[in-house]
Amino acid sequence: MKKSIITELKYSNTNTYLIEGCIGTVLFDTGWTGTFSAFCNTLGDNKKRIQDINYILISHFHPDHMGIAQEIADYGPVIVITDFQKNYVHSSDGILTKDSKKRFEPIIDDNLKIISVTNSRAFLKSVGINGELIDTPGHSDDSISLLLDEGFLFVGDLNPLYELELHKGTQIEESWNKLLSCKPNMIFYGHAKPTILNEEISETQKESDMYGLVSQIMRYIDRGFSLEKIKKKTGADFVFIEDVNRMYLTHQDVGVQGILDRIEIKNR
Ligand SMILES: [Fe+2]
């Protein structure tokens, strides 16, 4: 099975992630209420449409992770929860409805897809993603993490690994022990920066970084930025930017992967 493509969608204080499998796409977490238009803009910047998302997973039901889940779901994506998250789906509704300035749509229970962590692998496989959901209480009782077989781990608000010393003997440590026994390569947090855990990640991560860089360069080209300006913005090598620019402009409808393939052939 092909590797998943990870796109970080940063449009609020929460890091949210689009995970594209070879059959469908999952969104991991959403932002606080009031961020729906920023979400749509960020999707657009990444050349994605809301209709491309099949499912939404929520790491836990705090307002900064589920605030716009239903607004997104109104366009088709289905919110998927684990059975033990069921009693928490509306735990932030009280806080969110208090703020009358920001639109809030409570999650519609009847439209939820409920799975268990034990059948999460089969569920993810249905969208072409190899991985599983793991219950990781500690930050909250309803917290789940998503671990892809390729080593990418999405933990929501589970306290960062670098703080683990502070949480000895707690549920947080138990959850981390469970996760670390699966040997993840890279951790994606709800708020902190991603962390690479070991060198084995480098090849997979390099590919993913490269993919992100090329798609960023293409977006700047679309916006009419000069190559100099693109270099300033991305910090990428100028010759590389020139290569991407040339291939993008001379190959009609070429995608990020197409450009990466051509650059690889050129460098052989
Ligand atoms: Fe939280």
Side-chain angles (χ1 to χ4, degrees):
M1 202 180 267
K2 262 173 73 179
K3 281 176 187 146
S4 311
I5 298 168
I6 316 295
T7 306
E8 185 187 334
L9 299 177
K10 181 79 177 155
Y11 54 91
S12 69
N13 290 331
T14 311
N15 304 329
T16 74
Y17 301 95
L18 210 54
I19 302 154
E20 287 172 70
C22 52
I23 303 170
T25 297
V26 167
L27 173 67
F28 190 82
D29 272 339
T30 80
W32 197 292
T33 46
T35 60
F36 181 69
S37 55
F39 164 76
C40 293
N41 287 339
T42 308
L43 262 188
D45 287 347
N46 285 281
K47 295 206 156 58
K48 309 277 182 231
R49 299 172 317 145
I50 202 163
Q51 293 83 357
D52 296 332
I53 303 169
N54 302 90
Y55 296 108
I56 306 167
L57 290 166
I58 311 280
S59 64
H60 64 299
F61 285 82
H62 284 173
D64 53 335
H65 294 260
M66 53 66 70
I68 58 167
Q70 186 56 49
E71 277 180 87
I72 299 172
D74 288 345
Y75 287 83
V78 173
I79 301 169
V80 179
I81 63 164
T82 60
D83 39 16
F84 62 85
Q85 287 183 315
K86 218 169 159 185
N87 294 332
Y88 298 86
V89 169
H90 297 288
S91 55
S92 295
D93 288 12
I95 302 170
L96 294 174
T97 41
K98 259 188 207 157
D99 185 354
S100 55
K101 285 188 199 126
K102 287 181 185 155
R103 174 190 158 95
F104 170 59
E105 280 187 43
I107 287 172
I108 300 170
D109 295 319
D110 286 350
N111 297 347
L112 288 170
K113 180 178 172 69
I114 304 172
I115 61 170
S116 65
V117 286
T118 40
N119 66 25
S120 62
R121 180 167 284 281
F123 158 70
L124 289 164
K125 207 163 187 119
S126 74
V127 281
I129 295 171
N130 280 328
E132 62 183 315
L133 294 175
I134 300 172
D135 58 320
T136 46
H139 171 73
S140 67
D141 288 343
D142 58 332
S143 289
I144 54 164
S145 296
L146 166 63
L147 176 66
L148 306 188
D149 290 355
E150 57 214 78
F152 295 146
L153 173 62
F154 303 83
V155 297
D157 279 358
L158 183 62
N159 306 61
L161 197 49
Y162 52 77
E163 291 184 359
L164 196 50
E165 274 300 308
L166 303 172
H167 305 289
K168 286 274 168 216
T170 67
Q171 237 178 2
I172 296 167
E173 185 186 35
E174 273 174 43
S175 287
W176 270 118
N177 286 342
K178 205 182 324 180
L179 292 173
L180 293 174
S181 70
C182 303
K183 305 218 178 313
N185 292 320
M186 185 161 184
I187 303 169
F188 295 88
Y189 293 106
H191 302 286
K193 280 186 175 168
T195 302
I196 295 173
L197 285 191
N198 60 46
E199 289 309 309
E200 282 167 36
I201 182 68
S202 51
E203 279 314 309
T204 315
Q205 185 50 31
K206 263 188 222 158
E207 280 174 32
S208 167
D209 285 352
M210 210 57 161
Y211 195 97
L213 177 62
V214 170
S215 87
Q216 199 178 28
I217 293 171
M218 286 160 74
R219 284 199 299 277
Y220 288 144
I221 295 169
D222 286 341
R223 288 199 212 166
F225 288 7
S226 69
L227 300 191
E228 280 297 342
K229 191 167 179 186
I230 296 174
K231 179 178 165 52
K232 238 186 209 165
K233 286 211 156 256
T234 60
D237 178 73
F238 192 75
V239 177
F240 180 78
I241 296 171
E242 278 183 324
D243 279 350
V244 173
N245 182 56
R246 195 178 49 254
M247 286 170 198
Y248 188 33
L249 299 181
T250 53
H251 295 80
Q252 215 188 359
D253 295 330
V254 71
V256 178
Q257 196 56 52
I259 290 182
L260 283 171
D261 292 345
R262 285 175 176 87
I263 287 176
E264 200 185 315
I265 293 165
K266 181 186 162 225
N267 291 339
R268 247 179 226 161

